[in-house]
Amino acid sequence: EFATFTEAYTAVLRHLLDHPEYKTAGRGKDALEVPNISFRLTNAIQRTPYLAARRANIAFNYAELLWYVAGRDDITMISYYAPRLAKLSTDGLTLTGTAYGPRLFRPDGPDGLSQFDRCVKALEQDRDSKRAAMIIMRPHEAIGPDNPDVACTLGLQFMLRGGRLHATGYMRGNDAVIGLLCDTFSFTMIQELAARRLGVPVGSYTHHVGSMHINVLDREKVAAILAEADAGPAPRFPAPQMPGLSSAELELLLQWEAVLRAGAGELTGDTVTALPLPHYWQQALLVFQAYQQVQAGHPVTTDIAAALTPAHRWLLAARWPDRIT
Ligand code: 5HM
């Protein structure tokens, strides 16, 4: 059990590096593996690791969450933030396994509800329900070696206990360096969305993984992350509560995301405050604006840098040290 994801993340990485149980070579990648790893974050909002050597992409984290919640599976949006994802697409247009959005957030039954809506409703009707579970990997999913993109997550579960909304993620396989960070981020955000809908505080987040592994090629990066953790405590930034996300707000966020991605418009520290969005989501747009400037080969403007929270500024500077101060 860990108070912050920074601590959980370094503990998992250290365990994999120091005590790997197997060396695997599945699908041509050499990996070090420890089967059956679980951890719990006492407070799911402490989801962001502040480890510069990890060079996390916070723009991707927000984009992936919005892409999920919108029920999207297009590679156009998501590969702009993570170009490597384009390689996972068989048809060049969509992602099948990695796109959890359609499975969680698109209406999929005769009740006209999505799995997410159905879980929230189940908890409204029976606060002690054990049924608020969403299935991600599908029974008929092609798992042969010619399918490059099979869902790694089996499911997510919400439990409303002690007045707080807890969540559990169940994964068949998880890359401890890359996937673990992104998946914890989006799953705890989905948890927080459900908590706001239910009007209860967020509780703990538990992560269970069948095959936890690191690619052998990432070993040096892991060593650098651990050396940084050993050198002193990670910086602590306040973790603001997400205010919830209405469908109108989601729509506006996605509209602006597309405008910024296309370079068809820009936001400033001033104009963003005029948008009918809570400060929390305005920050996500400022992160996208900063990302666009970096992608276009420019430094992040001082106006945008000044409007970002210290946590966002720190994350962007860890990833692109020569673009933002
Ligand atoms: O051979 P396999 O389908 O397991 O390769 C996909 C790998 O991508 C997973 O084992 C895991 O290392 C990583 N992954 C992850 O960690 C992939 C996804 C996409 O579903 C994810 N987290 N969300």
Side-chain angles (χ1 to χ4, degrees), residues 233-247:
R236 300 273 307 245
F237 294 102
Q241 265 207 7
M242 183 217 286
L245 181 60
S246 70
S247 40

Side-chain angles (χ1 to χ4, degrees), residues 33 60 63 70 116 120 128 133 141 169 185 194-195 270 272 290-291 315 323:
E33 179 188 70
F60 171 76
F116 179 84
V120 170
D128 287 345
E141 202 157 330
F185 185 93
D270 234 11
V272 79
Y291 183 80
L315 288 164
R323 300 297 179 81

